[in-house]
Amino acid sequence: MASMDRSGDVLHAGLAVVLLLGVWSVGGLEVSTGKVSSIEAMNGSTVLIPCTYSSCIGIKDLFFNWHYNDNGTMLKLCEGEIPMEGVEPRGLSVYHERVEFVGSSKGNNISILLWNITFEDQGEYICFARNPKEKNRNHSATFTLIVVDELREIDSSLTVVIVSVLGGVFGLVIFLMVVKGLVVNFLLDGGDKNKECLVNSGNDNTENGLSGAKADTKGTPKA
């Protein structure tokens, strides 16, 4: 009995740990740079480098910062702290002359702008956040900036091929639908004609039969 009780206690403890881990993974802090994690931008332009945070548990004194990966050396761009939901960052510090913080706590946004970019600005930008409310759980996301002389033109030939193929498919479908409609109408018309032929044939036979019957029933004329 004692061994069974111990087994039950171990099972209950295991279930509790699993449930706690599940809650932690579902409600844990996450930061994201969006569905597109890289962008090509013209030399000399201004670029928005996006980042948002989320936590189902909520935040308190959320710490965040941005770093630029300069060939393995992490250069700090800015940092700040958000006291609670809906409150703007405090203690905001920017360490790069062409970086501007444009985030807002109302949208869980901690994005930055990078002004007048150069080829030296190309590389990875890391958004980091830490939430003391979740026992200092932290998370980071990376956004890649590619600087070019001119933006690449979309290959129109591929677009033309795709449109042509789709047009051919739609044309074939429409053609098949028209042929199907014609065949169905032909079959229906043929069926109606057959019915008419059968009815007419039946009427003729009936009339012939009746007239023949009448002829047969006539008596032999008396002399």
Side-chain angles (χ1 to χ4, degrees):
M1 292 293 293
S3 61
M4 292 180 64
D5 291 340
R6 291 197 190 105
S7 299
D9 293 339
V10 171
L11 178 61
H12 292 157
L15 290 174
V17 170
V18 170
L19 290 174
L20 287 173
L21 289 176
V23 171
W24 180 267
S25 62
V26 171
L29 173 70
E30 289 187 359
V31 295
S32 172
T33 55
K35 295 181 179 180
V36 179
S37 59
S38 66
I39 190 175
E40 285 189 357
M42 289 277 293
N43 181 29
S45 63
T46 298
V47 177
L48 172 68
I49 305 180
C51 186
T52 58
Y53 65 87
S54 63
S55 174
C56 294
I57 298 174
I59 65 166
K60 183 178 181 181
D61 298 330
L62 177 77
F63 172 79
F64 69 90
N65 62 29
W66 278 93
H67 282 84
Y68 170 65
N69 185 0
D70 185 13
N71 296 322
T73 301
M74 305 303 291
L75 303 179
K76 186 182 294 185
L77 301 178
C78 75
E79 64 182 1
E81 186 176 280
I82 303 175
M84 62 183 66
E85 298 284 352
V87 177
E88 294 304 315
R90 66 187 180 190
L92 183 65
S93 300
V94 178
Y95 304 102
H96 193 290
E97 60 182 3
R98 289 185 288 110
V99 167
E100 178 184 355
F101 180 78
V102 293
S104 173
S105 297
K106 295 180 181 179
N108 294 354
N109 190 337
I110 49 178
S111 304
I112 59 173
L113 273 181
L114 183 58
W115 292 87
N116 301 325
I117 63 173
T118 67
F119 290 103
E120 295 180 354
D121 296 322
Q122 181 169 278
E124 296 180 342
Y125 291 79
I126 297 92
C127 174
F128 171 87
R130 182 178 63 244
N131 189 14
K133 190 173 182 179
E134 300 177 58
K135 297 182 179 180
N136 285 325
R137 176 184 173 90
N138 61 76
H139 194 240
S140 63
T142 301
F143 189 85
T144 302
L145 173 64
I146 303 170
V147 183
V148 296
D149 279 328
E150 59 182 11
L151 297 178
R152 291 180 296 178
E153 294 183 0
I154 299 174
D155 188 359
S156 58
S157 59
L158 179 60
T159 304
V160 171
V161 171
I162 294 174
V163 171
S164 300
V165 172
L166 292 178
V169 172
F170 290 141
L172 179 60
V173 172
I174 293 173
F175 174 75
L176 293 176
M177 291 177 65
V178 171
V179 171
K180 179 180 177 182
L182 292 174
V183 171
V184 171
N185 289 333
F186 176 78
L187 293 176
L188 291 176
D189 292 342
D192 293 339
K193 290 179 180 180
N194 290 334
K195 290 179 182 179
E196 292 176 359
C197 291
L198 290 173
V199 171
N200 292 333
S201 176
N203 291 337
D204 293 342
N205 291 336
T206 303
E207 292 174 357
N208 293 334
L210 289 174
S211 60
K214 290 178 181 178
D216 292 340
T217 53
K218 289 181 180 179
T220 303
K222 293 180 181 181

